[in-house]
Amino acid sequence: MFKRFRRLRINETLRNLVQETVLTKNDFIYPLFVREGENIKEEVKSMPGVFQMSIDEILKECEYIRSIGLKSIILFGIPDVKDSVGSECLCEDSIIARTIRAIKAKFPDMFISTDLCFCEYTDHGHCGILDPKTQTVDNDKTLEISAQQAIVHAKAGADMIAPSGMMDGIIETLRTALDENGFKDLPIMAYSTKFASAYYGPFRDVAESTPSFGDRRSYQMNPANRLEALEESLEDERQGADILMVKPALAFMDVLRDLRNSTNLPVCAYNVSGEYAMLKHAGIAGLIDYERVMMETLTGFKRAGADMIITYHAKEACELLDKK
């Protein structure tokens, strides 16, 4: 006798009872981009619904997202002044530090992760100090200033540090620096498998971080390499990372599943700007049912093994979950 799978599908209540993967508001981390000034809320053309905001507008956004049950954000800074080493992010009055303090003063329960990198702060757009001979990032010199940046974030009140520069040894460096400065309980979410992806294009519009020359393939991962991707993440686990990540997510669900099967640590999927923009513009053009495709995509990340998702869809997803 053949198996009748439809027995578990015909009744809606039974379908819901046997559903294997469920999205909740606790799954999402919402990216926010802060810049200098007041009363600034500028939409990014390539990413409808995503804004560069001044601190006062960030506070308004935090008030709203808290009201819909979204209490986890990741902050990115956009400074007015950039230089060769990104020195603006190394001072205790940096745009990120001031934003953390302002949010925590008004919304102490907001969970703030901070992106730790230099591409938004350097005048060349690369993720650290350049080696003039190789014309790529000097790994070890960048580790030194990354530790300084982590301490700035920690002192300002960040709840989690998320280093995204793909420097070898970054987790060990940050863990040592944080521990030695009294932040032993501050977790690190490693951008442990971050590919040199074309899906990042719109992010460079909102973060103003396009490299002035070349690309980032000398330090970010080759998208063709699955086994190396696993080794990258497992090395970050050995160095003391608390959460691992796959970025981007949509074209790398195989890596997400492989990583989920290889570690007991929580795994984060970063649903990046290009993935978001494709769905947004397709929805605006009437090519897809945007809300259904969005939720199906987010569910796919969880089904592939993600415990949490950094996504620009987070606010809309929480609004939809409220309607159910």
Coordinates of all heavy atoms in Angstrom, one line a residue, residues 26-31 72-76 111-117 150 153 158-166 170-172 174-175 178 185-194 232-233 236-237 239-247 259 265-271 306-311:
N26 N 11.8 36.1 18.0 CA 13.1 35.9 18.6 C 14.2 35.4 17.7 O 15.4 35.3 18.1 CB 13.0 34.9 19.8 CG 12.2 35.4 20.9 OD1 12.2 36.6 21.2 ND2 11.4 34.5 21.6
D27 N 13.8 35.1 16.4 CA 14.8 34.6 15.5 C 15.6 35.8 14.8 O 16.6 35.5 14.1 CB 14.1 33.8 14.4 CG 13.5 32.6 14.9 OD1 14.0 32.0 15.8 OD2 12.4 32.2 14.3
F28 N 15.1 37.0 14.9 CA 15.6 38.1 14.0 C 16.5 39.1 14.7 O 16.3 39.5 15.9 CB 14.4 38.9 13.4 CG 13.5 38.0 12.7 CD1 12.1 38.0 13.0 CD2 13.9 37.1 11.7 CE1 11.2 37.2 12.3 CE2 13.0 36.3 11.0 CZ 11.7 36.3 11.3
I29 N 17.6 39.5 14.0 CA 18.4 40.7 14.3 C 18.3 41.7 13.2 O 18.5 41.3 12.0 CB 19.9 40.2 14.5 CG1 20.0 39.1 15.6 CG2 20.8 41.4 14.9 CD1 21.4 38.5 15.7
Y30 N 18.0 42.9 13.6 CA 17.6 43.9 12.6 C 18.8 44.9 12.4 O 19.2 45.6 13.4 CB 16.4 44.7 13.1 CG 15.8 45.6 12.1 CD1 15.7 45.4 10.7 CD2 15.2 46.9 12.5 CE1 15.1 46.2 9.8 CE2 14.6 47.7 11.7 CZ 14.5 47.4 10.3 OH 13.9 48.3 9.4
P31 N 19.4 45.0 11.2 CA 20.5 46.0 11.0 C 20.0 47.4 11.0 O 18.9 47.8 10.3 CB 21.0 45.6 9.6 CG 20.4 44.3 9.3 CD 19.1 44.2 10.0
S72 N 16.3 43.0 19.1 CA 17.7 42.7 18.8 C 18.1 43.4 17.5 O 17.5 43.2 16.5 CB 17.9 41.2 18.7 OG 19.2 40.9 18.5
I73 N 19.2 44.2 17.6 CA 19.6 45.0 16.5 C 21.1 44.8 16.3 O 21.8 44.4 17.2 CB 19.3 46.5 16.6 CG1 20.1 47.1 17.8 CG2 17.8 46.8 16.7 CD1 19.9 48.6 17.9
I74 N 21.6 45.1 15.1 CA 23.1 45.2 14.9 C 23.3 46.5 14.3 O 22.7 46.9 13.3 CB 23.6 44.0 14.0 CG1 25.1 44.1 13.8 CG2 22.9 43.9 12.7 CD1 25.8 42.8 13.3
L75 N 24.3 47.2 14.8 CA 24.6 48.6 14.5 C 25.8 48.7 13.5 O 26.8 48.1 13.7 CB 24.9 49.5 15.7 CG 23.7 49.9 16.6 CD1 24.3 50.7 17.7 CD2 22.8 50.8 15.8
F76 N 25.6 49.6 12.5 CA 26.7 49.9 11.6 C 26.8 51.5 11.6 O 25.8 52.2 11.6 CB 26.4 49.5 10.1 CG 26.2 48.0 10.0 CD1 25.0 47.4 10.3 CD2 27.3 47.2 9.6 CE1 24.9 46.0 10.2 CE2 27.2 45.9 9.4 CZ 26.0 45.2 9.7
F111 N 18.7 44.7 22.8 CA 20.0 43.9 22.7 C 20.8 44.4 21.5 O 20.3 44.4 20.3 CB 19.7 42.4 22.5 CG 20.9 41.6 22.5 CD1 21.4 41.1 23.7 CD2 21.6 41.2 21.3 CE1 22.5 40.3 23.8 CE2 22.7 40.4 21.4 CZ 23.2 40.0 22.6
I112 N 21.9 45.0 21.7 CA 22.7 45.7 20.7 C 24.0 44.8 20.4 O 24.9 44.7 21.2 CB 23.1 47.1 21.1 CG1 21.9 47.9 21.5 CG2 23.9 47.8 20.0 CD1 22.3 49.3 22.1
S113 N 24.0 44.3 19.1 CA 25.2 43.8 18.6 C 25.9 44.9 17.8 O 25.2 45.8 17.2 CB 25.0 42.6 17.7 OG 24.3 41.6 18.4
T114 N 27.2 44.9 17.7 CA 27.9 45.9 16.9 C 28.8 45.2 15.8 O 29.5 44.3 16.1 CB 28.8 46.8 17.8 OG1 29.7 46.0 18.6 CG2 27.9 47.6 18.7
D115 N 28.7 45.7 14.6 CA 29.5 45.3 13.6 C 30.9 45.9 13.8 O 31.0 47.1 13.9 CB 29.0 45.7 12.2 CG 29.9 45.3 11.1 OD1 29.9 44.2 10.7 OD2 30.7 46.2 10.6
L116 N 31.9 45.0 13.9 CA 33.3 45.5 14.1 C 34.1 45.3 12.9 O 34.4 44.2 12.5 CB 33.9 44.8 15.3 CG 35.3 45.3 15.9 CD1 35.4 45.0 17.3 CD2 36.4 44.8 15.1
C117 N 34.3 46.4 12.2 CA 35.1 46.4 10.9 C 35.6 47.8 10.7 O 35.4 48.7 11.4 CB 34.3 45.9 9.8 SG 35.3 45.4 8.3
A150 N 37.0 47.0 19.6 CA 36.2 46.1 20.5 C 36.0 46.7 21.9 O 34.9 46.7 22.5 CB 36.7 44.7 20.6
H153 N 33.5 49.6 21.9 CA 32.1 49.1 21.8 C 31.7 48.5 23.2 O 30.6 48.8 23.6 CB 32.0 48.0 20.8 CG 32.2 48.4 19.4 ND1 31.9 47.6 18.3 CD2 32.6 49.6 18.8 CE1 32.1 48.3 17.2 NE2 32.6 49.5 17.5
A158 N 27.8 47.8 24.5 CA 27.3 46.8 23.5 C 27.1 45.4 24.2 O 27.8 45.1 25.2 CB 28.4 46.6 22.4
D159 N 26.1 44.7 23.7 CA 25.7 43.4 24.3 C 26.4 42.2 23.6 O 26.6 41.2 24.2 CB 24.2 43.2 24.2 CG 23.5 44.2 25.1 OD1 23.6 44.2 26.3 OD2 22.7 44.9 24.5
M160 N 26.9 42.5 22.4 CA 27.6 41.5 21.6 C 28.5 42.1 20.6 O 28.1 43.1 20.0 CB 26.7 40.4 21.0 CG 27.4 39.3 20.3 SD 26.2 37.8 20.1 CE 25.0 38.5 19.0
I161 N 29.7 41.6 20.4 CA 30.6 42.1 19.3 C 30.6 41.1 18.1 O 30.6 39.9 18.3 CB 32.1 42.2 19.9 CG1 32.1 43.0 21.2 CG2 33.0 42.7 18.8 CD1 31.8 44.5 21.0
A162 N 30.5 41.7 16.9 CA 30.4 40.9 15.7 C 31.5 41.4 14.7 O 31.2 42.3 13.9 CB 29.0 40.9 15.1
P163 N 32.7 40.8 14.8 CA 33.8 41.2 13.8 C 33.5 40.6 12.4 O 33.4 39.4 12.3 CB 35.0 40.6 14.5 CG 34.5 39.4 15.2 CD 33.1 39.8 15.7
S164 N 33.5 41.5 11.4 CA 33.2 41.1 10.1 C 34.3 41.2 9.1 O 34.1 40.9 7.9 CB 32.0 42.0 9.6 OG 32.3 43.3 9.5
G165 N 35.5 41.5 9.5 CA 36.6 41.8 8.6 C 37.3 40.6 8.0 O 38.1 40.7 7.1
M166 N 37.0 39.4 8.5 CA 37.6 38.2 8.0 C 39.2 38.2 8.2 O 39.9 37.7 7.3 CB 37.2 37.8 6.6 CG 35.8 37.3 6.5 SD 35.5 35.7 7.3 CE 36.3 34.6 6.2
I170 N 41.2 36.8 14.4 CA 40.4 37.9 15.0 C 39.7 37.5 16.3 O 39.6 38.2 17.2 CB 39.4 38.5 14.0 CG1 38.7 39.7 14.5 CG2 38.4 37.4 13.5 CD1 39.6 40.9 14.8
I171 N 39.2 36.3 16.3 CA 38.4 35.8 17.5 C 39.4 35.7 18.7 O 39.0 36.2 19.8 CB 37.7 34.5 17.3 CG1 36.7 34.7 16.1 CG2 36.9 34.1 18.5 CD1 35.7 35.8 16.2
E172 N 40.5 35.1 18.6 CA 41.4 35.0 19.7 C 41.9 36.3 20.1 O 42.0 36.6 21.3 CB 42.7 34.1 19.2 CG 43.7 34.0 20.3 CD 44.9 33.1 19.8 OE1 44.6 32.0 19.2 OE2 46.0 33.4 20.1
L174 N 40.3 39.3 19.9 CA 39.2 40.0 20.6 C 38.9 39.4 21.9 O 38.6 40.1 22.9 CB 38.0 40.1 19.7 CG 38.1 40.8 18.4 CD1 36.7 41.0 17.7 CD2 38.7 42.2 18.5
R175 N 38.9 38.0 22.0 CA 38.6 37.4 23.2 C 39.6 37.7 24.3 O 39.3 38.0 25.5 CB 38.5 35.9 23.0 CG 38.0 35.0 24.2 CD 36.5 35.2 24.4 NE 36.2 36.3 25.3 CZ 35.0 36.9 25.3 NH1 34.1 36.5 24.5 NH2 34.8 37.9 26.1
L178 N 39.1 41.5 25.3 CA 37.9 41.7 26.1 C 38.1 41.1 27.5 O 37.7 41.8 28.5 CB 36.7 41.1 25.4 CG 36.2 41.7 24.1 CD1 35.2 40.8 23.4 CD2 35.6 43.1 24.4
D185 N 32.3 38.3 30.1 CA 31.0 37.8 29.8 C 30.4 38.4 28.5 O 29.2 38.1 28.2 CB 30.0 38.1 30.9 CG 30.4 37.3 32.2 OD1 30.9 36.2 32.1 OD2 30.2 37.9 33.3
L186 N 31.1 39.2 27.8 CA 30.6 39.8 26.5 C 30.8 38.8 25.4 O 31.9 38.4 25.0 CB 31.4 41.1 26.2 CG 30.8 41.9 25.1 CD1 29.4 42.4 25.4 CD2 31.7 43.1 24.8
P187 N 29.7 38.3 24.7 CA 29.9 37.3 23.7 C 30.4 37.9 22.4 O 30.2 39.1 22.1 CB 28.4 36.8 23.5 CG 27.6 37.9 24.0 CD 28.3 38.6 25.1
I188 N 31.0 37.0 21.6 CA 31.4 37.3 20.2 C 30.7 36.5 19.2 O 30.7 35.2 19.3 CB 32.9 37.1 20.1 CG1 33.8 37.9 21.0 CG2 33.4 37.3 18.6 CD1 35.2 37.6 21.0
M189 N 30.0 37.2 18.3 CA 29.4 36.5 17.1 C 30.3 36.6 16.0 O 30.5 37.7 15.4 CB 28.0 37.1 16.8 CG 27.4 36.4 15.6 SD 25.6 36.9 15.4 CE 25.7 38.7 15.2
A190 N 30.9 35.5 15.6 CA 31.9 35.5 14.5 C 31.3 35.6 13.2 O 30.3 34.8 12.9 CB 32.8 34.3 14.6
Y191 N 31.7 36.5 12.3 CA 31.4 36.4 10.9 C 32.3 35.3 10.3 O 33.3 35.5 9.6 CB 31.7 37.7 10.1 CG 30.7 38.8 10.3 CD1 30.4 39.4 11.5 CD2 30.0 39.2 9.2 CE1 29.5 40.4 11.6 CE2 29.1 40.3 9.2 CZ 28.8 40.8 10.5 OH 27.9 41.9 10.6
S192 N 32.1 34.0 10.8 CA 33.1 33.0 10.7 C 33.3 32.5 9.3 O 34.3 32.0 8.9 CB 32.7 31.8 11.6 OG 31.4 31.4 11.4
T193 N 32.2 32.4 8.5 CA 32.3 32.1 7.1 C 31.6 33.2 6.3 O 30.4 33.2 6.1 CB 31.5 30.7 6.8 OG1 32.2 29.7 7.5 CG2 31.6 30.4 5.3
K194 N 32.4 34.1 5.8 CA 32.0 35.3 5.1 C 32.6 35.2 3.7 O 33.8 35.3 3.5 CB 32.3 36.6 5.8 CG 31.8 37.8 5.0 CD 32.2 39.1 5.8 CE 31.8 40.3 5.1 NZ 32.2 41.5 5.8
E232 N 36.9 27.5 8.2 CA 37.0 28.8 8.7 C 36.1 28.9 10.0 O 36.5 29.5 11.0 CB 36.4 29.8 7.7 CG 37.4 30.2 6.6 CD 38.2 31.3 7.0 OE1 38.2 31.8 8.1 OE2 39.0 31.8 6.1
S233 N 34.9 28.4 10.0 CA 34.0 28.5 11.1 C 34.5 27.7 12.3 O 34.5 28.1 13.5 CB 32.6 28.1 10.7 OG 31.9 29.2 10.1
D236 N 37.2 29.5 14.1 CA 36.7 30.5 15.0 C 36.1 29.9 16.3 O 36.2 30.5 17.4 CB 35.6 31.3 14.3 CG 36.3 32.4 13.4 OD1 37.5 32.5 13.3 OD2 35.5 33.2 12.8
E237 N 35.5 28.7 16.2 CA 35.0 28.0 17.4 C 36.1 27.7 18.3 O 36.1 27.9 19.5 CB 34.2 26.8 17.0 CG 33.7 26.0 18.2 CD 32.8 24.9 17.8 OE1 32.5 24.7 16.6 OE2 32.3 24.2 18.7
Q239 N 38.9 29.2 18.6 CA 39.5 30.4 19.2 C 38.6 31.0 20.2 O 39.0 32.0 20.9 CB 39.8 31.4 18.1 CG 40.9 31.0 17.2 CD 41.2 32.1 16.1 OE1 41.0 33.2 16.3 NE2 41.7 31.6 15.0
G240 N 37.3 30.5 20.4 CA 36.5 31.1 21.4 C 35.2 31.8 21.0 O 34.6 32.4 21.8
A241 N 34.8 31.7 19.7 CA 33.6 32.3 19.3 C 32.4 31.7 20.0 O 32.4 30.5 20.3 CB 33.4 32.2 17.8
D242 N 31.4 32.5 20.3 CA 30.2 32.1 20.9 C 29.1 31.7 20.0 O 28.2 30.9 20.2 CB 29.7 33.1 21.9 CG 30.7 33.4 23.0 OD1 30.9 32.6 23.9 OD2 31.4 34.5 22.9
I243 N 29.1 32.4 18.8 CA 28.1 32.2 17.8 C 28.8 32.2 16.4 O 29.7 33.0 16.2 CB 27.0 33.2 17.7 CG1 26.2 33.2 19.1 CG2 26.0 33.0 16.6 CD1 25.3 34.4 19.2
L244 N 28.5 31.3 15.5 CA 29.1 31.2 14.2 C 28.1 31.8 13.2 O 26.9 31.8 13.4 CB 29.5 29.8 13.8 CG 30.5 29.1 14.8 CD1 30.7 27.7 14.4 CD2 31.8 29.9 15.0
M245 N 28.6 32.1 12.0 CA 27.8 32.7 11.0 C 28.1 32.3 9.6 O 29.3 32.0 9.3 CB 27.9 34.3 11.0 CG 27.0 35.0 10.1 SD 27.5 36.8 9.9 CE 27.2 37.4 11.5
V246 N 27.1 32.2 8.7 CA 27.3 32.1 7.3 C 26.7 33.3 6.6 O 25.6 33.7 6.8 CB 26.6 30.8 6.7 CG1 26.8 30.7 5.2 CG2 27.2 29.5 7.4
K247 N 27.5 33.9 5.8 CA 27.2 35.2 5.1 C 27.8 35.2 3.7 O 29.0 35.0 3.5 CB 27.7 36.4 5.9 CG 27.3 37.7 5.2 CD 27.9 38.9 6.0 CE 27.6 40.2 5.3 NZ 28.2 41.4 5.9
L259 N 27.5 23.4 8.4 CA 28.0 23.9 9.6 C 27.1 23.5 10.8 O 27.6 23.1 11.9 CB 28.0 25.5 9.5 CG 28.5 26.2 10.8 CD1 29.9 25.7 11.1 CD2 28.5 27.7 10.5
L265 N 27.5 25.0 18.5 CA 27.3 26.4 18.8 C 26.1 26.9 18.0 O 25.7 26.3 17.0 CB 28.5 27.2 18.4 CG 29.8 27.0 19.2 CD1 30.9 28.0 18.6 CD2 29.6 27.3 20.6
P266 N 25.5 28.0 18.5 CA 24.4 28.6 17.7 C 25.0 29.1 16.4 O 26.1 29.5 16.3 CB 24.0 29.8 18.6 CG 24.4 29.4 20.0 CD 25.7 28.6 19.8
V267 N 24.1 29.0 15.4 CA 24.5 29.4 14.0 C 23.6 30.6 13.5 O 22.4 30.5 13.7 CB 24.4 28.3 13.0 CG1 24.7 28.7 11.6 CG2 25.4 27.2 13.4
C268 N 24.2 31.6 13.0 CA 23.5 32.8 12.5 C 23.6 32.8 10.9 O 24.7 32.5 10.4 CB 24.1 34.1 13.0 SG 23.3 35.6 12.4
A269 N 22.5 33.1 10.3 CA 22.5 33.3 8.8 C 22.3 34.8 8.6 O 21.4 35.4 9.2 CB 21.3 32.6 8.2
Y270 N 23.2 35.4 7.8 CA 23.1 36.8 7.4 C 22.4 36.9 6.1 O 23.0 36.6 5.0 CB 24.5 37.5 7.4 CG 24.4 39.0 7.5 CD1 25.3 39.7 8.3 CD2 23.5 39.7 6.7 CE1 25.3 41.1 8.4 CE2 23.5 41.1 6.8 CZ 24.3 41.8 7.6 OH 24.3 43.2 7.7
N271 N 21.2 37.3 6.1 CA 20.4 37.5 4.9 C 20.7 38.9 4.3 O 20.2 39.9 4.7 CB 18.9 37.5 5.3 CG 17.9 37.7 4.2 OD1 16.8 38.1 4.4 ND2 18.3 37.4 2.9
A306 N 19.9 27.5 10.6 CA 20.1 28.8 11.4 C 19.3 28.9 12.6 O 18.1 28.6 12.6 CB 19.8 30.0 10.5
D307 N 20.0 29.3 13.7 CA 19.2 29.6 15.0 C 18.7 31.0 15.0 O 17.8 31.3 15.7 CB 20.2 29.3 16.2 CG 20.6 27.9 16.2 OD1 19.8 27.0 16.5 OD2 21.8 27.6 15.9
M308 N 19.4 31.9 14.3 CA 19.0 33.3 14.2 C 19.4 33.8 12.9 O 20.2 33.3 12.1 CB 19.7 34.1 15.3 CG 21.2 34.1 15.2 SD 22.1 34.5 16.7 CE 22.0 32.9 17.6
I309 N 18.7 34.9 12.5 CA 18.8 35.5 11.2 C 19.0 37.0 11.3 O 18.2 37.7 11.8 CB 17.6 35.2 10.3 CG1 17.3 33.7 10.3 CG2 17.8 35.7 8.9 CD1 15.9 33.4 9.7
I310 N 20.1 37.5 10.8 CA 20.3 39.0 10.6 C 19.6 39.3 9.2 O 20.0 38.7 8.2 CB 21.8 39.4 10.5 CG1 22.5 39.0 11.8 CG2 21.9 40.9 10.2 CD1 24.0 39.3 11.8
T311 N 18.6 40.1 9.3 CA 17.8 40.4 8.0 C 17.2 41.8 8.0 O 16.7 42.2 9.1 CB 16.7 39.3 7.8 OG1 16.0 39.6 6.6 CG2 15.8 39.2 9.0

